[in-house]
Amino acid sequence: MKNYLPLMGEWNKMLYSLDWLENVLSSAGLKVAIQPGWKTRGHGDVGKIKGVMCHHTAGPKTGNMPSLGVVTNGRTGLSGPLAQLCLGRDGTFYVVAAGKCFHAGKGDWKGITTGNTSFIGIEAENTGINKPGDPKHDPWPAVQIDAYRRGVAAILKHIGQDESMCCGHKEYRLPLGFKNDPTFNMDQFRKDVAAIMNGITPIPALIPKQDGSGRSTLRRGSQSDLVKEIQKKVGFVGGDVDGKFGSLTEAAVRRFQRTHGLVPDGIVGPNTWAALNGE
């Protein structure tokens, strides 16, 4: 437990133990957004950290990290913070708290039953529905899963633990079957985390530079008449149809991808081009 920290305009607050989270994630090359007051936020301090617990938010299908407020402030019947970290769909880690969070509940992993005080919780934005055809079906973007693995690997390395000390909420929470988060396969996830920790980085599936019709793969920063075509087809709003692939265009592409059952990575590659043209 750290010393009291004087904050301007507030009563002194306790600086909690996990104040290293920002630096560890940033040093791993990850995108990090810190939330105001995070170093003094928590339900008291944590104990000795033994591992990382993975969750999904079961939040809205749209938006990068719409559940951030709930995780930070809590909900009816459960006060926040609800996890130390949030993970947006674009792979950004939001650092919420340095103290204890209410994310684990009653459970057991490797004989450890003190989930809230012994595990760092990560709430990744996802509806929790993994059923094609369901209106809330929410495929995990590759960029988000990659950041999830790398963030967990960086934390485990920092605390001196191997991949076995990463668990899903569905594996910890008792009775088993009570929770289903996260929806991806945790055994494979741990293998990928181990590969990163051992310097054998999984190679992401690369998006081809062009599709079969010669249309270029476009993303934020692109500028062309093809971008104008995209802006018109995805229902771009909030700016001119100017052929410049900025943040508003990316957001519109993500919305289009989600409504068409595609991975919402904001990149217009072969699959998205096909959907845009009804192919």
Side-chain angles (χ1 to χ4, degrees):
M1 187 175 292
K2 300 298 182 73
N3 295 326
Y4 284 98
L5 175 71
L7 295 177
M8 186 178 296
E10 299 182 10
W11 294 102
N12 291 349
K13 293 184 178 180
M14 185 67 71
L15 181 66
Y16 293 126
S17 297
L18 301 178
D19 57 350
W20 46 264
L21 279 171
E22 178 191 0
N23 288 337
V24 165
L25 294 171
S26 295
S27 296
L30 296 160
K31 294 184 289 184
V32 179
I34 59 172
Q35 301 310 296
W38 74 274
K39 290 185 178 181
T40 61
R41 185 175 292 117
H43 302 284
D45 209 357
V46 292
K48 180 176 175 58
I49 294 297
K50 305 288 184 63
V52 180
M53 193 175 300
C54 299
H55 305 257
H56 63 237
T57 61
K61 187 172 180 177
T62 59
N64 188 51
M65 192 66 234
S67 303
L68 181 59
V70 173
V71 176
T72 303
N73 303 311
R75 53 180 171 76
T76 302
L78 190 62
S79 60
L82 304 182
Q84 285 85 7
L85 298 168
C86 287
L87 177 59
R89 290 184 167 103
D90 70 348
T92 298
F93 275 97
Y94 296 81
V95 189
V96 173
K100 181 170 70 173
C101 299
F102 293 159
H103 66 92
K106 178 184 177 182
D108 187 325
W109 181 253
K110 306 290 185 183
I112 301 171
T113 59
T114 50
N116 289 330
T117 56
S118 301
F119 288 83
I120 290 169
I122 303 177
E123 284 281 0
E125 195 64 70
N126 189 275
T127 64
I129 304 297
N130 188 23
K131 298 177 182 178
D134 189 298
K136 291 186 178 181
H137 176 52
D138 196 6
W140 289 89
V143 66
Q144 187 183 26
I145 287 292
D146 184 62
Y148 216 154
R149 297 171 183 140
R150 294 178 187 279
V152 170
I155 292 170
L156 291 175
K157 196 168 186 178
H158 181 80
I159 64 175
Q161 297 285 0
D162 64 20
E163 76 282 357
S164 68
M165 291 313 297
C166 165
C167 66
H169 196 202
K170 62 186 176 185
E171 298 174 303
Y172 172 85
R173 189 70 164 86
L174 295 175
L176 291 178
F178 183 71
K179 292 289 185 178
N180 75 332
D181 58 318
T183 55
F184 50 74
N185 183 289
M186 285 302 303
D187 289 330
Q188 184 60 52
F189 185 82
R190 279 187 284 271
K191 289 179 182 178
D192 293 339
V193 168
I196 293 170
M197 295 179 74
N198 294 326
I200 310 170
T201 307
I203 300 173
L206 298 178
I207 301 173
K209 292 182 179 180
Q210 290 184 330
D211 69 0
S213 300
R215 294 171 295 207
S216 297
T217 291
L218 301 173
R219 66 192 76 205
R220 190 187 291 211
S222 299
Q223 187 171 338
S224 68
D225 286 338
L226 279 178
V227 176
K228 287 184 180 180
E229 182 181 336
I230 292 166
Q231 289 172 327
K232 292 175 182 177
K233 290 186 175 183
V234 298
F236 174 68
V237 294
D240 296 328
V241 176
D242 55 7
K244 296 177 181 179
F245 203 128
S247 59
L248 292 177
T249 302
E250 183 179 74
V253 169
R254 289 181 191 275
R255 286 194 297 272
F256 176 88
Q257 289 170 325
R258 289 191 188 99
T259 59
H260 288 77
L262 301 169
V263 174
D265 55 10
I267 299 171
V268 181
N271 292 336
T272 302
W273 272 122
L276 285 168
N277 290 283
E279 300 170 1

